[in-house]
Amino acid sequence: MNRSLAIGLGLLLTVGIAGCQRSESPASESKAAPTAAAPTGAEKITTERLLNAASEPSQWMTYNGTYSEQRFSTLKAIDKDNVKTLGLTWFADYDTNLTQAGTPLSVDGAIYVSTAWSKVYAFDARTGKQLWQYNPQSNGARVAQNVCCGIANRGIAAYNGKIYVGTLDGRLVAIDSKTGKPVWETMTIDESWHYSITSAPRVAKGKVFIGNSGGEYGVRGYIGAYDAETGKALWRFYTVPGDPSKGFENEAMKKAAATWGGDWWKLGGGGTVWDAIVYDPKTDLLYFGTGNGTPWNQRKRDKTGGDNLYLASIIAVKPDTGEYVWHYQQTPGDTWDYDAVSPMMTVDMTIDGQQRHVLVQPCKNGFFYILDAADGKLLRAEPFTEVNWADGVDMKTGRPRVRKEARYSEGKPFNLAPGVQGAHGWQSNAYNPETGIIYVPTQLAYFPMVEDPTYKPSPVGYNLGIDFAAQFTFFATHPDAKRGFTGYLQAIDLASGKTLWKSEMNETGTGGALATAGGVVFQGGGPAKEFRAFDAMTGAKLWRIDTQTSIQAAPITYELDGKQYVAVSVGGAATGGYFAPNYSRLLVFELGGKTTLPPPKDYTPPPLDPPANFGSAQAVSTGLETYGKYCAACHGDRGQSRGANFPDLTRTPLLHTQEGFDDVVLKGVRSEKGMASFANALKPEDAVALRAYLTSRANEVKNAPPPGPPGAPPPPRTGNQHEQ
Ligand code: CA
């Protein structure tokens, strides 16, 4: 619940001031004379340069490197033989301890990167000196009720002297790349709905494209185009139909409406465009993925069980007008939160003896899709992790062969794989066109889908239609059921679909990937908190560095003054939970880099000192339900925080008095800092039940038997690791 604490402590735990730190370079390296000029940064980014980004490997001008979004660099000064000498050049601390998801851009001597709370930094790439920081001052109270999965920002776009960022509270902002001052901002959402933005905008043809999130709460998904110079809204393409009585915006909406029943539009329908957007100059099409329906459970959304277009689909539109061209729906009648928004790329390859220009997506639903980029024809669909909801995809119809029992219903839960965490989240893939190998951050995940028979649409909080809390009783009554969540990097031969190698498994997910012509793949992850380089062919770990924190974001590489660099944002869950110090930073590496990180700080967690249990078993149970609906999104599956970003509620002193608890939960005394009042959803007795549940949970943790004997496996993780 305590978002306020999340932010307050975020400031307290700031690790030094934002800015660069570097060790002295060897004297021989100090050929800094030609570097005295201030970086021009994004000032000279033109449409031409963006179209030809692959011919300028010294730059990293767009979110995934080039319009193909392959995340491949032809730079090879750093290669598999010398990567072992890679070292830190400089690093810069961010002013937040929250999870970092932002991919940096490196342009003409400047590095730009977005951080949690949609803030943007600019650094001098040569010195690491901070040039400016932009803080959009997102409306924390609004954000608190609209953001499903953390307050991250995944990236920015650069064009013609401007840096573009989408803000958590729904604005698209153009920042002057030289001064850091906003040039224009456009509110892209209707603020009476639960929209937010965490994804990176894309720029093409003088337009900025951005979607939004909110499908877990209830919104009508869309993508919009905005004039890059003025911010003027140019067009909007909705992904699901609106109220039929008001007419349809276009033929695509009319067709989609025929696949829906009931009154879905009252909750918006869902289908948000919350991550992948690809502009393809070859076809002159704009591709984007769409998310789950609202609520997740189709029986509670549309009893007729139709396909519910265009949920869980990839859609292609004309970038100039937003006109529909084609779609492919990966998961018809989605009832499993199988967003189709995972990163996509375009690739030229031979399939079945034929040269094709294709769109590639390893999807959250566990299948790896290859579509013809021009017409959306399905060419391949093979599982790339454990999949139990469908027995493959019928290549004639393009439809999955869904297992009947996977459509869980009242009293008939289904232990889903991939679980709602997905086979693949938003973490970027990388593809080496010289070897035909794609590197996919992959997840092996299980989640019991248990229908909530009492579900009713709610204007506030999750609208899922499943009983989130029942996962715990499910595992108690199905002790042999598979469970847990692990992530790993997987190398797949694109043509054959064969897995060539996998990195080790870990429980904190896995970061985005970067492939280079040096035969190296860079990626953050692993059971240890490390940034590492793999041999691209064998998966052998060639180099690693302890980052003191986990990595979700994707690395980039660029060249400056004849030298190749690698940069990555770090900052994930701190060991020891939210109250532990975390290290949110930009790290920049070069061969022979000699800078070292300061040692991690000492840390003592706040006492686990809950009051005695109170309230009836019924109250505790009601409190758990309330918690699952309104609090788990930020505070984790059982009060112990989602990652490092939010307070561990089993240790909050607020448990000691109902009055103090209500001040935060119902009166919103910390809403300015991001913990909104939930008085619009909770009655005073709900807050009492919530405190009763959290108190009982805190005592349960306090009295938990000590961990098993050395070598015993850790308890399995479950919880809401799903995406947006
Ligand atoms: Ca989703």
Side-chain angles (χ1 to χ4, degrees), residues 279 577 594 699:
Y279 169 66
K594 295 279 191 291
N699 280 300

Side-chain angles (χ1 to χ4, degrees), residues 8-16 96-97 578-583 601 644:
L9 278 159
L11 293 173
L12 284 177
L13 293 175
T14 295
V15 188
T96 159
N97 73 333
Y578 170 79
F579 290 102
N582 197 7
Y583 305 99
K601 300 189 169 182

Side-chain angles (χ1 to χ4, degrees), residues 653-683:
L654 291 176
L655 293 181
H656 284 269
T657 71
Q658 192 64 42
E659 198 184 350
F661 191 82
D662 290 352
D663 279 350
V664 173
V665 174
L666 299 179
K667 293 185 184 161
V669 297
R670 290 174 181 164
S671 60
E672 281 304 304
K673 294 189 170 176
M675 169 57 199
S677 160
F678 279 75
N680 54 354
L682 304 181
K683 299 190 188 82

Side-chain angles (χ1 to χ4, degrees), residues 356-606:
R356 296 262 195 182
H357 181 60
V358 301
L359 187 65
V360 170
Q361 187 191 55
C363 184
K364 192 176 172 189
N365 73 7
F367 288 97
F368 193 119
Y369 294 92
I370 302 181
L371 308 176
D372 187 293
D375 59 14
K377 182 182 187 304
L378 179 67
L379 302 174
R380 289 278 164 81
E382 295 294 335
F384 65 101
T385 185
E386 186 174 336
V387 172
N388 72 4
W389 65 279
D391 296 317
V393 175
D394 183 324
M395 293 303 290
K396 281 209 182 97
T397 62
R399 299 176 70 88
R401 289 188 288 267
V402 178
R403 290 174 59 187
K404 214 171 179 184
E405 61 272 29
R407 291 196 175 273
Y408 54 95
S409 56
E410 187 175 348
K412 290 184 181 169
F414 182 74
N415 192 29
L416 183 67
V420 297
Q421 311 94 325
H424 185 141
W426 53 265
Q427 287 79 5
S428 303
N429 312 298
Y431 172 73
N432 183 333
E434 295 170 1
T435 60
I437 302 174
I438 185 167
Y439 302 92
V440 181
T442 307
Q443 296 170 172
L444 183 60
Y446 306 92
F447 192 92
M449 303 301 279
V450 183
E451 177 155 296
D452 175 4
T454 66
Y455 169 78
K456 282 193 188 67
S458 164
V460 181
Y462 273 179
N463 276 290
L464 306 182
I466 66 160
D467 186 346
F468 217 85
Q471 57 180 301
F472 308 114
T473 45
F474 177 88
F475 286 123
T477 50
H478 299 76
D480 296 332
K482 288 182 175 177
R483 53 172 125 179
F485 170 85
T486 50
Y488 54 98
L489 185 67
Q490 183 174 201
I492 299 172
D493 177 69
L494 193 59
S496 68
K498 219 185 251 172
T499 294
L500 303 178
W501 55 261
K502 292 176 182 178
S503 74
E504 70 272 53
M505 311 287 264
N506 73 94
E507 292 190 353
T508 56
T510 193
L514 164 71
T516 76
V520 183
V521 175
F522 291 98
Q523 190 251 1
K529 298 179 189 311
E530 65 179 21
F531 184 52
R532 64 265 183 96
F534 296 101
D535 182 314
M537 299 306 290
T538 67
K541 205 188 286 181
L542 302 173
W543 168 84
R544 66 174 295 280
I545 185 171
D546 179 359
T547 49
Q548 303 176 356
T549 180
S550 60
I551 304 177
Q552 296 289 312
I556 65 167
T557 189
Y558 55 93
E559 187 185 88
L560 201 59
D561 308 325
K563 211 187 275 182
Q564 185 183 355
Y565 294 87
V566 176
V568 67
S569 257
V570 303
T575 303
Y578 170 79
F579 290 102
N582 197 7
Y583 305 99
S584 271
R585 296 169 168 143
L586 179 67
L587 305 182
V588 178
F589 301 92
E590 66 180 316
L591 292 176
K594 295 279 191 291
T595 298
T596 51
L597 292 173
K601 300 189 169 182
D602 289 337
Y603 158 67
T604 310

Side-chain angles (χ1 to χ4, degrees), residues 614-626:
F614 67 95
S616 63
Q618 180 58 42
V620 170
S621 162
T622 305
L624 171 58
E625 272 172 40
T626 302

